[in-house]
Amino acid sequence: MIQVAAVGVTAALLAGVLRRGAPEFSLVLVLCAGAWMLLSAADSLGAAVALMEELAGLAGLDEALLEPVVKTVALSILTRLTAEVCRSSGEGGLAAFVETAGTILALGAALPLARAVTVLLAEMLT
């Protein structure tokens, strides 16, 4: 996390300086720094998914039930990042559309999980 914080602060300072003279380079710098940070955190995300799969196996749940959860989390992260990039480039309206679309897509990704929970509850009640 110290490396991620250092890259974030350094990129923010450099982007602030670049924004005055070359705003397009500022955005490219921020995108590159953000991509590096995400790649640095990818191992932790993989470990979290592996743990979820292990716990689902221990609980006797089908791994297909985890897929909507992982998709929803991924959509949430991508939506937030995209909206913030849009805001950073001065496109607040576009950021709002990105957030709305991300919310709709996350709802769609979670529907199979809602269906599975409803089926499980129906089985328990009968």
Side-chain angles (χ1 to χ4, degrees):
M1 186 59 205
I2 292 173
Q3 288 178 339
V4 170
V7 168
V9 169
T10 303
L13 291 172
L14 290 173
V17 171
L18 285 174
R19 192 169 291 125
R20 293 184 192 134
E24 60 278 358
F25 290 126
S26 172
L27 183 59
V28 170
L29 172 69
V30 168
L31 289 174
C32 289
W36 180 86
M37 289 181 213
L38 288 177
L39 289 173
S40 296
D43 290 339
S44 295
L45 185 59
V49 170
L51 178 63
M52 287 175 54
E53 289 173 350
E54 180 184 340
L55 293 175
L58 291 173
L61 297 175
D62 186 12
E63 286 188 22
L65 291 177
L66 291 179
E67 186 177 331
V69 174
V70 172
K71 281 184 180 179
T72 303
V73 169
L75 282 167
S76 172
I77 292 168
L78 186 58
T79 298
R80 178 160 174 112
L81 291 172
T82 305
E84 289 303 320
V85 168
C86 290
R87 279 193 194 88
S88 292
S89 65
E91 297 295 333
L94 186 59
F97 283 113
V98 167
E99 289 171 338
T100 303
T103 301
I104 293 167
L105 291 170
L107 178 62
L111 286 177
L113 182 60
R115 181 179 294 119
V117 167
T118 304
V119 168
L120 180 64
L121 288 174
E123 288 175 0
M124 291 174 64
L125 293 174
T126 58

